[in-house]
Amino acid sequence: MTDILEIARAQVLERGVGLDLDQALECLRLPDDRLPELLALAHEVRMAWCGPEVEVEGIVSLKTGGCPEDCHFCSQSGQFSSPVRAVWLDIDELVKAAKETAETGATEFCIVAAVRGPDRRLMDQVRRGVAAIKEAVEINIACSLGMLTQEQVDELAGMGVHRYNHNLETARSHFPNVVTTHTWEERWDTCLMVRKAGMELCCGGIIGMGESLEQRAEFAAQLGELEPDEVPLNFLNPRPGTPFAHYPLVEGKEALKTIAAFRLALPRTILRYAGGRELTLGDLGTREGMLGGINAIIVGNYLTTLGRSPAEDLALLDDLKMPIKALSQTL
């Protein structure tokens, strides 16, 4: 039987064809002593099909907490006894956050709201926020506002929103164990509408929510079918008061295998470090992931959890001789 890494080298590195479900699963099952080999191949694939540049992004929550959905990992759900209260950010604060993000060299600023989907009040707030940011600072604006109607998709595209984030979170077969108040298919439909409207699609998920290795491979294959422009990879940071509060952290080597397998399944995609990497991987692991397929990073804090300081991440990129993607190349 041909070795999976030999297959991946010919199929992914040389032809740019991503691994399928069964092939991704083989990578996830590789023994630990083959991890360096797997990471090295994933880095080669990243360099061949995406280049050396790293896209840097900052995120801020326009509306935090009080969400009606029951996503079991999320402390912003109003259904759990989590310590996140509903708070709205005003436009001046939003512009200030966008300016601070741009000062790090980031090309992308994402406005996030903890909602099932946006109502009229939120859409109006986003419209004012997007206009104010565009007037104040030169940066691409992304949004993550939950599930959308076609009218809302068209409205966001008309505002000049560059990219829309809507995570599938996990494999279709595992989703009912993670969320019960809406379906995986509803999320998929929003993603398809976003792509059709011409906005870039950002769609990823969270690793470590009780899914099997088979389901991780399933998730990678489903993202490969969707072909998002960007895939943010989060690792569960168990939050107090949520149903997943007592889940263990993903082990570091397991996380790195996941990063590499997703890169091999998605050779042309922006693969972004997102929440949980600080706990799961630490400083050394963060470096290994940047040399194992990752080519984008969120700097600063996340929505309800702390991240590394922007200075630390930017110093790491400088040390690795990885240039930050310029704004002019993403407009």
Side-chain angles (χ1 to χ4, degrees):
M1 185 174 66
T2 307
D3 181 72
I4 183 58
L5 296 187
E6 291 180 23
I7 293 171
R9 181 168 292 277
Q11 176 180 317
V12 187
L13 181 60
E14 296 176 12
R15 304 204 313 273
V17 177
L19 299 184
D20 62 23
L21 188 160
D22 292 335
Q23 293 169 328
L25 181 58
E26 281 194 67
C27 288
L28 291 170
R29 286 175 169 167
L30 283 172
D32 290 349
D33 62 7
R34 299 203 67 190
L35 177 59
E37 190 182 353
L38 174 63
L39 291 171
L41 178 57
H43 184 61
E44 283 189 77
V45 168
R46 170 263 176 110
M47 295 295 286
W49 294 101
C50 299
E53 293 178 322
V54 176
E55 187 184 281
V56 176
E57 178 183 38
I59 60 176
V60 69
S61 184
L62 177 60
K63 177 192 174 291
T64 302
C67 181
E69 303 304 287
D70 74 343
C71 305
H72 292 11
F73 55 84
C74 185
S75 59
Q76 300 199 63
S77 172
Q79 299 196 32
F80 309 140
S81 59
S82 309
V84 176
R85 296 180 180 178
V87 177
W88 283 78
L89 204 64
D90 65 32
I91 300 302
D92 288 343
E93 292 171 309
L94 203 60
V95 171
K96 180 174 181 286
K99 287 181 176 178
E100 291 172 351
T101 297
E103 287 169 2
T104 69
T107 57
E108 197 85 16
F109 178 72
C110 188
I111 301 170
V112 182
V115 290
R116 176 185 174 89
D119 58 13
R120 187 67 259 164
R121 176 194 177 191
L122 179 55
M123 289 295 288
D124 289 343
Q125 186 90 336
V126 169
R127 178 179 292 280
R128 292 195 297 272
V130 168
I133 292 167
K134 284 181 175 290
E135 186 175 339
V137 61
E138 190 177 8
I139 195 165
N140 288 325
I141 301 173
C143 287
S144 181
L145 312 172
M147 291 173 287
L148 302 175
T149 65
Q150 184 63 60
E151 181 181 0
Q152 290 167 336
V153 169
D154 295 340
E155 187 174 351
L156 290 169
M159 292 178 200
V161 171
H162 167 253
R163 183 181 292 164
Y164 193 79
N165 164 256
H166 193 54
N167 289 337
L168 291 172
E169 302 301 8
T170 191
R172 183 176 184 172
S173 67
H174 187 55
F175 191 85
N177 300 313
V178 177
V179 182
T180 68
T181 49
H182 60 265
T183 66
W184 190 91
E185 288 76 13
E186 287 177 282
R187 288 180 177 245
W188 181 270
D189 289 345
T190 289
C191 291
L192 294 181
M193 285 191 287
V194 166
R195 285 192 54 198
K196 189 174 180 182
M199 287 185 283
E200 288 192 4
L201 174 63
C202 169
C203 181
I206 304 175
I207 304 301
M209 297 193 293
E211 75 282 355
S212 64
L213 289 184
E214 290 81 1
Q215 287 169 325
R216 285 182 196 168
E218 177 195 343
F219 186 32
Q222 286 160 347
L223 288 170
E225 180 184 349
L226 185 61
E227 296 183 324
D229 298 276
E230 173 187 344
V231 170
L233 267 185
N234 299 270
F235 297 96
L236 182 68
N237 180 348
R239 306 315 301 149
T242 67
F244 291 171
H246 303 296
Y247 274 39
L249 295 176
V250 177
E251 197 270 333
K253 290 180 180 178
E254 191 179 341
L256 290 170
K257 285 180 193 175
T258 302
I259 289 167
F262 272 63
R263 168 52 68 203
L264 296 179
L266 301 155
R268 295 175 173 83
T269 299
I270 298 169
L271 191 60
R272 187 181 298 278
Y273 260 149
R277 64 185 167 96
E278 298 80 12
L279 293 176
T280 294
L281 292 166
D283 291 346
L284 180 61
T286 293
R287 174 184 290 268
E288 288 179 314
M290 294 301 305
L291 294 170
I294 294 289
N295 68 324
I297 197 164
I298 293 174
V299 294
N301 296 331
Y302 307 107
L303 300 177
T304 60
T305 58
L306 299 177
R308 282 157 55 98
S309 76
E312 286 181 288
D313 281 332
L314 296 177
L316 173 62
L317 297 182
D318 184 60
D319 186 48
L320 293 173
K321 305 292 189 292
M322 292 182 181
I324 296 174
K325 190 173 185 179
L327 179 64
S328 61
Q329 294 172 306
T330 61
L331 287 175

